[in-house]
């Protein structure tokens, strides 16, 4: 996988992907890497400095934004503040859309671009997965025009960016699920051990011990895990440590 522009021609283009995971701890970091790589790629195709603003939307979640420069990041952030921008409407766009100069439907958006030092924008919707969408906004300098050739290159790059970002989101999702499972297992272990302590102290069944934990949880307005941890910490030897190591991958 590559992290930036390689040879823009040749048979390797079909299987080309962007490495959006190396050094990226979360989805926001992967989106930032995509903004950097996108700016470099299209800037090479355009033969001039092009920046990139990236926006990630979730139907049930916060909008994430990134930019290849602070100015591009400000443009991306404004998409959340002004929902009339082309990136905010990116899911309704079927193809790359150029925000031109005179006579454009995006006049208010163009004024915001100019405030950040940009003269034109090329909006690229990304196909991801149900409930999740994204858009890249390539930003050109004053008096810049995105040619049909560059727009065509952006359309191809959009396919690469979509596959790359979708893969990164899937991987982050798996990592999140693993972390959540680890928390559940650790919580369950603490509760089970605390129930064992109560069973030994009170000569009762597991169900009765857990009922005691649950009752204390309700009376003190604490989570059952917190009550269990307090019992274990009070033990002479202290709370036993839980450790869950992922299996080694050959």
């Amino acid at each position: 996988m590559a992290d930036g522009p390689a040879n823009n021609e040749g048979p390797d283009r079909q299987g080309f992907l962007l490495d959006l995971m190396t050094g990226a701890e979360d989805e926001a970091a992967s989106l930032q890497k995509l903004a950097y790589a996108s700016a470099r790629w299209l800037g090479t195709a355009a033969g001039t400095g092009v920046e990139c603003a990236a926006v990630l939307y979730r139907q049930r979640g916060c909008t994430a934004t990134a930019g290849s420069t602070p100015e591009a990041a400000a443009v991306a952030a404004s998409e959340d503040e002004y929902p009339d921008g082309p990136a905010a409407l990116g899911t309704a766009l079927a193809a790359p859309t150029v925000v031109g100069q005179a006579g454009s439907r995006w006049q208010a958006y163009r004024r915001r671009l100019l405030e950040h030092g940009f003269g034109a924008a090329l909006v690229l919707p990304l196909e991801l997965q149900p409930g999740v969408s994204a858009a890249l906004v390539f930003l050109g300098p004053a008096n810049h025009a995105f040619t049909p050739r560059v727009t065509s290159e952006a359309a191809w790059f959009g396919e690469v960016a979509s596959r790359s970002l979708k893969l990164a989101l899937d991987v982050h999702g798996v990592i999140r699920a693993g972390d959540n499972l680890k928390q559940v297992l650790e919580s369950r272990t603490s509760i089970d051990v605390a129930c064992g302590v109560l069973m030994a102290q009170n000569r009762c069944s597991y169900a009765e011990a857990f009922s005691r934990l649950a009752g204390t949880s309700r009376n003190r307005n604490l989570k059952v895990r917190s009550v269990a941890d307090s019992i274990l910490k009070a033990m002479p030897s202290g709370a036993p440590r839980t450790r869950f190591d992922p299996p080694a991958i050959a």
Side-chain angles (χ1 to χ4, degrees):
M1 289 190 292
D3 187 42
N7 183 4
N8 286 14
E9 298 178 356
D12 291 340
R13 286 174 58 125
Q14 185 175 358
F16 187 77
L17 282 175
L18 300 167
D19 177 7
L20 304 181
M21 285 302 303
T22 302
E25 296 182 354
D26 52 26
E27 294 178 353
S30 288
L31 191 67
Q32 183 64 62
K33 288 174 69 68
L34 177 60
Y36 287 141
S38 301
R40 290 198 299 271
W41 184 280
L42 208 70
T44 299
T48 187
V50 173
E51 302 303 336
C52 180
V55 188
L56 176 67
Y57 303 94
R58 289 188 180 275
Q59 288 182 354
R60 298 180 181 179
C62 299
T63 299
T65 62
S68 55
T69 61
E71 293 76 15
V75 171
S78 72
E79 292 288 344
D80 200 26
E81 182 180 358
Y82 300 97
D84 60 333
L89 303 176
T91 53
L93 301 175
T97 299
V98 175
V99 179
Q101 297 181 357
S104 170
R105 60 177 288 195
W106 312 108
Q107 287 305 303
Y109 184 76
R110 280 202 66 251
R111 286 193 290 271
R112 294 199 295 273
L113 290 182
L114 292 172
E115 291 174 358
H116 293 292
F118 301 107
L122 172 60
V123 183
L124 188 65
L126 302 184
E127 295 183 7
L128 296 177
Q129 53 201 31
V132 184
S133 61
L136 299 178
V137 183
F138 295 104
L139 302 162
N143 300 319
H144 177 76
F146 289 99
T147 65
R149 184 186 66 82
V150 172
T151 301
S152 176
E153 179 70 13
W156 174 83
F157 182 81
E159 298 177 5
V160 173
S162 295
R163 292 195 301 269
S164 303
L165 184 56
K166 184 180 185 303
L167 177 61
L169 296 180
D170 288 344
V171 173
H172 283 302
V174 170
I175 294 174
R176 254 195 329 271
D179 290 342
N180 292 338
L181 178 59
K182 180 180 177 182
Q183 291 176 1
V184 170
L185 291 174
E186 290 178 343
S187 177
R188 187 72 246 182
T189 299
S190 296
I191 293 171
D192 285 344
V193 174
C195 283
V197 172
L198 293 177
M199 290 168 66
Q201 291 176 344
N202 299 280
R203 297 183 180 277
C204 62
S205 67
Y206 180 92
E208 291 171 328
F210 185 82
S211 178
R212 288 172 180 260
L213 280 181
T216 304
S217 170
R218 289 192 298 271
N219 293 336
R220 298 183 181 179
N221 194 27
L222 296 171
K223 293 182 179 180
V224 175
R225 164 74 184 274
S226 299
V227 177
D229 286 343
S230 66
I231 292 175
L232 299 181
K233 289 177 181 178
M235 295 175 63
S237 60
R241 295 183 62 186
T242 58
R243 178 175 177 179
F244 300 95
D245 291 326
I249 301 176

